[in-house]
Amino acid sequence: MKDESIVLSVRDIKKKIKNKWIIKGISFDVRAGEVFGFLGPNGSGKTTTIRMLVDLIKPTEGQIFICGIPVGNKPDEALQYVGCIVENPELYPYLSGWENLEHFARMLKNVTKQRIHEVVEIVGLNQRIHDKVRTYSLGMRQRLGIAQALLGKPKLLILDEPTNGLDPQGIKEMRVFIRSLAQEGLSVFVSSHLLSEIQLMCDRVAIISHGNVTAVGHVADLMRPAETIVEWRLSPFEEGMAILKASGYVTSFEELPIGEGSSNRIVRCKMPEDQIPIKNAELVRSKVRVNAITVKNPTLEELFLRLTDGETID
């Protein structure tokens, strides 16, 4: 019995090209109504994976299921549930946005003029849909490409680097738009190398590096370490550091220029968060003044660098 909450299921797919393993074993699920991020630097295998998801190339090993249907055995049946833009939307600049959508609608079954009106409304191009595409901004072209991908009422929308080339305002608008699609129940798979956008846009994320998925999960869960990094400013410094050091938590101390008349040294500890008030009370009992306690929350960039041995990403 298939799990209807799973729209896309990838099971240990691998791809060998010219005797080289490009994709070395990737597994993840995308659930109904979520924005799922596929995060990795350029060259990590993102686009190759997407091409396998939509049957443009075949996996060497492994299986892909869309709505429980195996893509390898029944590609036409599986891909009827998918809308996809790989890299850049392919549009005819000398036609209007509406004419482009009419053209692509002829390639699909039972796409009515009413459905074209619906997708134009969804992507917010009502005012410009009858203008030539060559007059569109990059953001408008991206929206028209998404409208094209939505014509067949897919359950899964796959977007490869949808914010590439957009200015900050365009990126923000695209992020809000993608979140709105998920709120309507559509599953959105977003490939990107932009850490900040994945963090803001996605419910869950898979991190890919050198053809391997190194982590899958909710962004907040992946970034929540078992032990927290805590910085302490103490006076007198030596006595305070000795107390923290005796507990086994101190990982480093360093000089910081924080102004005249202030202690310019901090103690950095890796410790469970529930130990912070306990250590604070111990310091106070020992007549050590606690000037500041700073909890350093990890960023997605730090998580990525930890999981990929420092492979660079934007």
Side-chain angles (χ1 to χ4, degrees):
M1 183 176 179
K2 69 181 181 181
D3 184 349
E4 293 188 359
S5 69
I6 304 296
V7 175
L8 170 64
S9 183
V10 176
R11 289 285 163 264
D12 198 30
I13 61 169
K14 300 177 183 179
K15 181 64 180 178
K16 181 187 281 187
I17 299 176
K18 294 182 179 178
N19 295 318
K20 181 180 179 181
W21 289 102
I22 305 300
I23 303 298
K24 302 168 186 175
I26 289 178
S27 298
F28 58 82
D29 293 326
V30 177
R31 301 165 187 160
E34 76 172 345
V35 181
F36 186 92
F38 197 47
L39 175 65
N42 293 327
S44 60
K46 298 191 304 297
T47 299
T48 299
T49 300
I50 289 176
R51 289 180 179 279
M52 289 190 284
L53 297 183
V54 296
D55 202 46
L56 291 176
I57 59 175
K58 300 287 186 183
T60 305
E61 297 179 18
Q63 288 187 297
I64 299 164
F65 299 89
I66 295 172
C67 296
I69 302 165
V71 174
N73 297 337
K74 301 177 180 179
D76 291 342
E77 187 177 341
L79 293 176
Q80 68 178 317
Y81 298 109
V82 179
C84 181
I85 302 175
V86 179
E87 296 171 332
N88 298 311
E90 296 295 334
L91 302 167
Y92 296 98
Y94 53 86
L95 298 178
S96 70
W98 181 269
E99 289 167 337
N100 267 273
L101 292 178
E102 281 187 322
H103 172 74
F104 291 114
R106 295 187 194 103
M107 304 178 191
L108 302 170
K109 293 180 181 178
N110 304 318
V111 177
T112 63
K113 283 194 174 182
Q114 178 60 33
R115 179 57 184 169
I116 299 177
H117 279 292
E118 287 173 3
V119 298
V120 170
E121 182 76 28
I122 289 169
V123 302
L125 282 178
N126 312 61
Q127 302 300 315
R128 297 288 306 277
I129 195 62
H130 294 293
D131 294 346
K132 301 293 187 198
V133 167
R134 65 169 172 261
T135 69
Y136 284 11
S137 67
L138 181 57
M140 292 171 64
R141 289 176 186 237
Q142 290 282 43
R143 284 175 176 263
L144 184 62
I146 292 173
Q148 170 199 331
L150 294 175
L151 284 170
K153 297 184 178 179
K155 293 186 178 181
L156 173 67
L157 179 62
I158 297 175
L159 302 176
D160 187 13
E161 302 278 3
T163 58
N164 253 10
L166 298 182
D167 61 24
Q169 182 61 31
I171 290 173
K172 180 180 178 182
E173 290 173 358
M174 183 61 66
R175 180 172 69 240
V176 171
F177 172 60
I178 288 172
R179 290 294 328 167
S180 71
L181 293 176
Q183 288 166 6
E184 296 297 319
L186 184 66
S187 300
V188 187
F189 178 96
V190 180
S191 163
S192 182
H193 66 285
L194 298 175
L195 285 157
S196 59
E197 283 312 302
I198 289 290
Q199 190 166 354
L200 290 169
M201 188 190 307
C202 298
D203 301 299
R204 292 190 307 127
V205 62
I207 294 176
I208 181 173
S209 173
H210 302 297
N212 290 300
V213 165
T214 57
V216 181
H218 290 276
V219 174
D221 291 340
L222 291 175
M223 292 170 58
R224 187 181 299 122
E227 294 181 309
T228 303
I229 301 297
V230 185
E231 293 180 350
W232 302 78
R233 287 197 174 91
L234 307 170
S235 180
F237 179 80
E238 285 76 11
E239 287 86 337
M241 186 172 72
I243 291 169
L244 292 172
K245 210 167 187 178
S247 67
Y249 293 133
V250 173
T251 55
S252 67
F253 72 93
E254 59 188 81
E255 308 282 337
L256 288 180
I258 60 173
E260 291 183 18
S262 300
S263 168
N264 66 343
R265 292 188 287 177
I266 64 168
V267 184
R268 182 173 286 115
C269 300
K270 185 182 288 185
M271 62 196 307
E273 203 159 336
D274 59 6
Q275 285 294 308
I276 296 174
I278 296 171
K279 290 290 118 185
N280 183 57
E282 184 179 343
L283 289 161
V284 171
R285 283 196 304 270
S286 301
K287 306 291 194 244
V288 174
R289 189 170 70 235
V290 179
N291 296 316
I293 302 171
T294 305
V295 177
K296 305 292 286 185
N297 293 315
T299 64
L300 189 57
E301 180 179 15
E302 290 166 340
L303 171 70
F304 184 88
L305 293 173
R306 190 175 80 242
L307 292 173
T308 61
D309 296 323
E311 190 176 3
T312 56
I313 193 166
D314 292 344

